[in-house]
Amino acid sequence: MSSSSTHHHTYSRKQKSLGLLCTKFLSLYNKGGVRFIGLDDAASRLGVERRRIYDIVNVLESVGVLARKAKNQYTWKGFSAIPAALEELKDEGLKDNPGSFDDSNDSAKVSDDEDEEETFPNVNIESQEDKANNLDSTTLVKSSKNENRREKSLALLTQNFVKLFVCSNIETISLDEAAKLLLGNSIIRTKVRRLYDIANVLSSMNLIEKTHTKNTRKPAFRWLGLRGRTWNESVDLAHNSNVKESRKRMFGTDITNISFKRNKVDLSIDGQSPKMQNQEENISPRAQPEIRKLKKDAKQTSKNYQFGPFAPNNVPTVVSSENNTAKPVHDWDSLAQVHRPQYQNQALKDLFSHYMEAWKSWNSEAAGKKSRKTK
DNA sequence: ATGTCCCGCCATACG
DNA sequence: CGTATGGCGGGACAT
């Protein structure tokens, strides 16, 4: 395989990005009727290696869009499952963070802040059977390993990343900051890299959007959440597909690449898949049957508790101010402004304390760079 | 130079 | 053992 290659430099990184791949994945399986998703099928259809599918699937599962069913098999839950998933992550996040032994404000900031400051991201693994375990050592060991494994999984990182937004009033955050907040056991650098992956797929779902910090400095991501979009099974996907991509180097004649592997195109599960999606991701549906202008959009600034877009259980009549063709109308922006960045609970305060500490130390450490890990 | 992040080696988990 | 998962990070591409 490999095929000589290295010839046509039509190669463009963007075309192979995880985000775009995720968008394709989504549009491919969001078209009604899909219930099961085989990883092999997805991989061959999207023309990528299995490895990439794992990345996507893991984060999608973290937000409820997919659910693992069995080996090589996932169940499509749809965007409508997102609200519940976020809700769950939310109180899960608020619930944990026991603080272990921190009743008073964090005192002193450890002289040597190596890397092990974790305090927030704690998978609340209920130990309801921490004592009465008839489990043989094997199980214990395995469990321990799984835990350790899981500890650094993309899925967990994703959940914690999301919790960051959903549990606080943080609206925008840079990946560096996020990585520091979500310190685990891995080096910051590695974590940031993973965060890029996560951010990309989350972006393709429009749960977040790339921007820059308030200081108009470093790039960062802004939480969009459910906004007012119709996260329902019907239609809607609205991947912001900008057509302003005529930024080619060599020559952009086509997007041809992707070597359709055509591995095993069985498609047994897919009962019907007409013409499926067109070639491009730019579907420009914008159908929007009737755009009831409604009122001026009495934004739900009222009291949705704290985060507007949390549909309790149903799907409110949508408000969706379509967008798509061009720059999405961010009037959520103003909505976001309404939210006062005030911490409403102790947990968040703590979180921010640590955040500040980490930030400062990291900042002072500055470009410590070159961790030169003894290999 | 710094920010992104693709690619795929290879350790693990699983069967 | 073979196969399925998915950490992890070198280093290429973007800005």
Side-chain angles (χ1 to χ4, degrees):
Chain A
M1 38 200 45
S2 72
S3 64
S4 53
S5 70
T6 326
H7 282 345
H8 301 150
H9 299 159
T10 318
Y11 177 88
S12 177
R13 230 157 177 248
K14 286 181 179 175
Q15 293 164 35
K16 302 283 216 76
S17 72
L18 231 201
L20 182 57
L21 183 63
C22 183
T23 297
K24 289 176 180 174
F25 182 98
L26 257 23
S27 56
L28 179 62
Y29 291 102
N30 189 36
K31 308 241 188 274
V34 183
R35 192 118 323 123
F36 299 101
I37 298 175
L39 299 186
D40 287 304
D41 180 56
S44 62
R45 260 150 91 139
L46 296 173
V48 297
E49 318 86 71
R50 184 88 73 74
R51 182 69 195 74
R52 300 280 73 78
I53 300 299
Y54 287 131
D55 287 335
I56 293 176
V57 148
N58 280 325
V59 17
L60 287 184
E61 182 178 30
S62 294
V63 289
V65 176
L66 295 177
R68 192 199 221 78
K69 181 127 172 305
K71 184 182 73 173
N72 219 295
Q73 195 94 150
Y74 276 79
T75 304
W76 172 263
K77 307 298 278 227
F79 298 99
S80 52
I82 294 179
L86 294 185
E87 191 89 358
E88 195 176 331
L89 286 176
K90 180 184 170 187
D91 46 45
E92 189 176 295
L94 293 178
K95 182 175 61 181
D96 69 21
N97 184 26
S100 312
F101 45 80
D102 92 327
D103 36 49
S104 55
N105 299 328
D106 56 272
S107 52
K109 61 169 296 302
V110 290
S111 314
D112 67 321
D113 53 311
E114 201 72 293
D115 65 271
E116 193 59 288
E117 184 74 5
E118 87 74 15
T119 304
F120 190 60
N122 242 339
V123 204
N124 48 349
I125 40 176
E126 244 39 90
S127 54
Q128 52 184 143
E129 55 188 305
D130 55 352
K131 57 175 184 64
N133 42 35
N134 283 339
L135 316 172
D136 50 278
S137 50
T138 307
T139 307
L140 276 177
V141 174
K142 187 160 66 172
S143 184
S144 185
K145 279 197 170 183
N146 285 336
E147 192 181 319
N148 182 51
R149 179 79 167 171
R150 161 104 187 161
E151 202 173 301
K152 297 190 272 195
S153 71
L154 228 202
L156 219 204
L157 220 201
T158 298
Q159 299 192 324
N160 286 330
F161 183 61
V162 171
K163 284 179 184 177
L164 223 53
F165 290 113
V166 112
C167 296
S168 72
N169 287 321
I170 296 177
E171 195 221 352
T172 300
I173 190 171
S174 75
L175 299 186
D176 289 308
E177 300 171 311
K180 277 179 253 88
L181 269 175
L182 307 179
L183 315 167
N185 290 317
S186 37
I187 307 303
I188 186 87
R189 212 57 178 168
T190 297
K191 186 140 289 186
V192 171
R193 216 167 308 170
R194 288 317 130 215
L195 247 20
Y196 275 117
D197 293 338
I198 294 171
N200 282 329
V201 7
L202 252 31
S203 288
S204 81
M205 283 187 284
N206 286 314
L207 279 177
I208 60 174
E209 183 179 61
K210 187 172 184 178
T211 33
H212 48 70
T213 52
K214 198 71 177 184
N215 309 170
T216 312
R217 238 357 350 121
K218 303 165 179 58
F221 287 87
R222 169 187 298 132
W223 175 254
L224 295 180
L226 278 32
R227 310 183 305 190
R229 201 175 228 37
T230 341
W231 287 112
N232 282 303
E233 47 186 301
S234 58
V235 295
D236 214 1
L237 264 188
H239 310 128
N240 50 329
S241 51
N242 38 23
V243 195
K244 52 165 293 184
E245 190 172 329
S246 32
R247 183 65 181 177
K248 284 298 174 56
R249 200 180 193 77
M250 272 304 165
F251 80 82
T253 320
D254 55 336
I255 324 157
T256 172
N257 59 350
I258 310 177
S259 54
F260 279 96
K261 305 257 308 220
R262 268 301 142 168
N263 226 347
K264 45 189 295 184
V265 200
D266 55 290
L267 305 267
S268 48
I269 33 181
D270 189 286
Q272 56 177 157
S273 57
K275 50 251 69 192
M276 49 185 72
Q277 55 112 179
N278 46 43
Q279 66 247 39
E280 298 309 295
E281 78 290 334
N282 189 4
I283 309 172
S284 66
R286 72 150 330 75
Q288 205 62 31
E290 71 253 9
I291 309 175
R292 279 286 136 34
K293 73 197 79 174
L294 300 170
K295 293 65 183 284
K296 199 53 160 289
D297 86 344
K299 58 186 70 173
Q300 53 272 58
T301 61
S302 304
K303 59 222 13 267
N304 299 354
Y305 238 170
Q306 74 170 74
F307 234 85
F310 270 143
N313 241 348
N314 60 7
V315 219
T317 37
V318 204
V319 203
S320 79
S321 34
E322 233 342 88
N323 59 2
N324 217 359
T325 5
K327 183 56 182 293
V329 186
H330 282 155
D331 50 315
W332 314 292
D333 191 64
S334 58
L335 184 154
Q337 296 298 305
V338 180
H339 294 171
R340 282 288 71 189
Q342 293 211 342
Y343 319 108
Q344 36 189 289
N345 67 51
Q346 190 62 42
L348 291 183
K349 275 179 55 177
D350 281 22
L351 188 159
F352 277 92
S353 295
H354 288 291
Y355 166 58
M356 282 307 177
E357 294 299 324
W359 175 241
K360 287 191 293 186
S361 70
W362 187 78
N363 212 6
S364 89
E365 194 83 14
K369 62 178 51 279
K370 237 46 228 178
S371 311
R372 195 71 283 171
K373 213 58 185 298
T374 328
K375 180 64 189 301

